[in-house]
Amino acid sequence: MTYLNSSAEVSLAASPNPGIISLENFSPLHEIVFISGDLPDLPTLIDGVKAGSEVHILDTQSDELSQMAVLLAGRTGFDAIHI
């Protein structure tokens, strides 16, 4: 199960420079978060993830390390990997 944390807000308010979008609470960092699917307060953990982070809920019925390896295969450039 995969979520893209959408708590970043895009503000299209009037700007002195038309066509420029102001991003509030946006993190320019490329971060990925892995959370075990059997944790008791999963929604709270997901809500606490930094805006813009890529979040993956791991299936506890299969090897979680293998799941992370598959999801990371061929990908580079992460600023942080949270487990």
Side-chain angles (χ1 to χ4, degrees), residues 2-66:
T2 303
Y3 298 92
L4 181 60
N5 186 321
S6 61
S7 60
E9 297 174 8
V10 177
S11 173
L12 298 176
S15 169
N17 301 312
I20 296 179
I21 297 173
S22 169
L23 296 177
E24 298 173 10
N25 300 322
F26 177 75
S27 172
L29 299 176
H30 187 199
E31 299 186 18
I32 188 167
V33 180
F34 295 105
I35 302 174
S36 182
D38 66 351
L39 296 175
D41 204 1
L42 198 53
T44 301
L45 287 170
I46 294 169
D47 288 343
V49 173
K50 186 187 308 181
S53 297
E54 180 181 333
V55 179
H56 295 274
I57 309 303
L58 302 173
D59 178 3
T60 59
Q61 301 303 310
S62 62
D63 183 7
E64 293 175 318
L65 289 176
S66 293

Side-chain angles (χ1 to χ4, degrees), residues 69-81:
V70 167
L71 290 164
L72 292 171
R75 299 175 69 186
T76 62
F78 290 106
D79 294 299
I81 298 173

